[in-house]
Amino acid sequence: MQPSFIERKNSKDLTPRELFSKEHKQLLEKAKSWMERTANSCMLVSTVIATGVLSAAFTIPGGDNDDGIPHYLKKPAFLIFAVSDATALISASTSTLVFLSILISRYAENDFLSSLPFKLMIGLLALFISITSMMVAFSSALFITYYHGFKLVPGLMSAFAFLQIPLFGFLQYRLWSDIVYSAYYCRFLFRPSNHKALRCRPCK
């Protein structure tokens, strides 16, 4: 609408913003319910990942000697395991904290414009990184364990494990793209200074 109409009141003494909020209370409740369910589910997954990689950090693959030094400390696979396991733990913890901040949010209208979509994107990105790092740590642990054995087994298991990464990305891509488009791209096009606003497709 024109900037001069933003604060103008109608016959019921309501501004356009107040009228919009009044007529879309049900939509706000649905958005709140969906955001809570999504945050709860994702936080559960990230918590499970953090628990698993934390226990794996203290269960050294290949064992250690009498001095507590891992047997395969100088192997590249062990270095990959240590880095990926730490990355998985940090990113999973970050994802858990982000989704927790979503759950304790006040869920005001303004929060759905930028704050909540931004937190959801960061949480999903951290969750994706944690899943990827966990699979890398799992594969490197297999190669360490079967280093002197039949190497085809860890190779096949690693290949099956890495299938989870593109699967997760494929399943969450539509959600990610809709959040980015609705929260940032459409809002940019509908600025008064941008004449391309009329070309924006309806935001979901």
Side-chain angles (χ1 to χ4, degrees), residues 105-188:
S105 176
R106 58 179 181 169
Y107 294 103
E109 290 183 15
N110 291 333
D111 294 339
F112 284 95
L113 292 178
S114 58
S115 175
L116 289 177
F118 178 75
K119 290 179 180 178
L120 186 58
M121 287 189 298
I122 295 298
L124 289 175
L125 179 61
L127 183 59
F128 179 79
I129 294 175
S130 65
I131 293 175
T132 304
S133 302
M134 180 182 64
M135 293 305 172
V136 174
F138 170 74
S139 301
S140 58
L142 283 178
F143 278 102
I144 293 173
T145 305
Y146 293 94
Y147 182 76
H148 297 290
F150 193 52
K151 295 184 179 181
L152 182 61
V153 174
L156 290 177
M157 296 301 295
S158 300
F160 283 117
F162 275 95
L163 287 178
Q164 312 302 318
I165 300 174
L167 178 62
F168 178 82
F170 174 77
L171 294 176
Q172 299 300 324
Y173 173 76
R174 184 62 182 271
L175 173 62
W176 176 275
S177 61
D178 283 347
I179 293 173
V180 173
Y181 190 89
S182 301
Y184 298 100
Y185 187 67
C186 275
R187 193 172 60 175
F188 169 76

Side-chain angles (χ1 to χ4, degrees), residues 6-171:
I6 293 178
E7 300 298 331
R8 184 175 297 183
K9 296 184 178 180
N10 61 4
S11 58
K12 296 182 179 180
D13 199 33
L14 295 174
T15 62
R17 177 64 179 270
E18 293 172 345
L19 181 62
F20 181 88
S21 300
K22 180 180 178 181
E23 294 183 350
H24 292 80
K25 287 184 178 180
Q26 187 177 4
L27 180 63
L28 181 62
E29 291 298 324
K30 290 182 179 180
K32 177 182 177 181
S33 177
W34 177 85
M35 188 68 72
E36 288 179 341
R37 293 196 311 269
T38 303
N40 269 317
S41 301
C42 294
M43 189 172 67
L44 176 62
V45 176
S46 61
T47 303
V48 172
I49 293 176
T51 304
V53 296
L54 180 62
S55 62
F58 296 98
T59 307
I60 301 176
D64 51 11
N65 55 25
D66 296 334
D67 297 328
I69 300 176
H71 291 300
Y72 300 102
L73 181 61
K74 297 182 179 180
K75 299 293 182 181
F78 187 86
L79 178 61
I80 295 174
F81 168 80
V83 173
S84 57
D85 191 80
T87 303
L89 177 60
I90 295 172
S91 55
S93 301
T94 302
S95 178
T96 302
L97 292 176
V98 171
F99 288 121
L100 179 61
S101 68
I102 292 178
L103 290 176
I104 63 177
S105 176
R106 58 179 181 169
Y107 294 103
E109 290 183 15
N110 291 333
D111 294 339
F112 284 95
L113 292 178
S114 58
S115 175
L116 289 177
F118 178 75
K119 290 179 180 178
L120 186 58
M121 287 189 298
I122 295 298
L124 289 175
L125 179 61
L127 183 59
F128 179 79
I129 294 175
S130 65
I131 293 175
T132 304
S133 302
M134 180 182 64
M135 293 305 172
V136 174
F138 170 74
S139 301
S140 58
L142 283 178
F143 278 102
I144 293 173
T145 305
Y146 293 94
Y147 182 76
H148 297 290
F150 193 52
K151 295 184 179 181
L152 182 61
V153 174
L156 290 177
M157 296 301 295
S158 300
F160 283 117
F162 275 95
L163 287 178
Q164 312 302 318
I165 300 174
L167 178 62
F168 178 82
F170 174 77
L171 294 176

